[in-house]
Amino acid sequence: MFQLHPTLEKDSLPIIETGSLLIRLINDARFPWGLIVPRVTGMTELHDLPDEVCTEALRASLKLGRVMKSAFAADKINTAAIGNMVPQLHLHVVARTRGDAAWPGPVWGAGTMVPLDAAAADRRIALIRDGMG
């Protein structure tokens, strides 16, 4: 039975849940940062996924990137499936702007997360949910 990794649960907020994907928001005010988590138990790599779930996850990452670039006036979208710290397969989609807290370096390991206040979290979630349709 699928269960979201405790670190992903702790560090993110739900946006959209489908039959095969979770789309979540990393709870960090410094960066608009989405996660796509395939709801498949025991997967650590994209190439391990069933083809239809992999295709759905990649399509969702493309759409999420377009939505976030527009909604957050991003200069660059960083999309990655790293999983070195959390083994459960998940895709990061991060809206970056010149001068953000980690620019031009990667967001991973850059400083300390700053939790969103409730209103800011609600705004980000609504922008992403509306854009994703």
Side-chain angles (χ1 to χ4, degrees), residues 2-14:
F2 175 82
Q3 188 171 359
L4 185 62
H5 189 280
T7 300
L8 298 180
E9 178 77 36
K10 174 182 68 72
D11 290 348
S12 66
L13 306 166

Side-chain angles (χ1 to χ4, degrees), residues 4-121:
L4 185 62
H5 189 280
T7 300
L8 298 180
E9 178 77 36
K10 174 182 68 72
D11 290 348
S12 66
L13 306 166
I15 301 174
I16 298 169
E17 198 168 317
T18 71
S20 58
L21 299 177
L22 300 178
I23 300 177
R24 298 180 63 89
L25 177 71
I26 291 289
N27 188 11
D28 191 343
R30 300 171 305 152
F31 313 103
W33 184 341
L35 282 181
I36 298 169
V37 184
R39 295 174 62 132
V40 181
T41 301
M43 296 293 141
T44 60
E45 308 294 342
L46 279 169
H47 61 262
D48 292 334
L49 288 173
D51 287 348
E52 63 278 1
V53 178
C54 184
T55 298
E56 186 178 355
L58 291 174
R59 284 186 175 146
S61 72
L62 295 174
K63 187 169 188 178
L64 181 57
R66 286 190 291 272
V67 166
M68 291 180 70
K69 183 151 187 160
S70 174
F72 301 109
D75 296 309
K76 180 75 175 99
I77 296 295
N78 294 168
T79 303
I82 298 173
N84 295 340
M85 299 297 290
V86 174
Q88 184 174 52
L89 178 58
H90 58 287
L91 302 170
H92 299 269
V93 181
V94 188
R96 302 295 306 277
T97 54
R98 288 178 181 83
D100 70 29
W103 188 268
V107 296
W108 296 274
T112 303
M113 291 176 71
V114 177
L116 290 153
D117 64 51

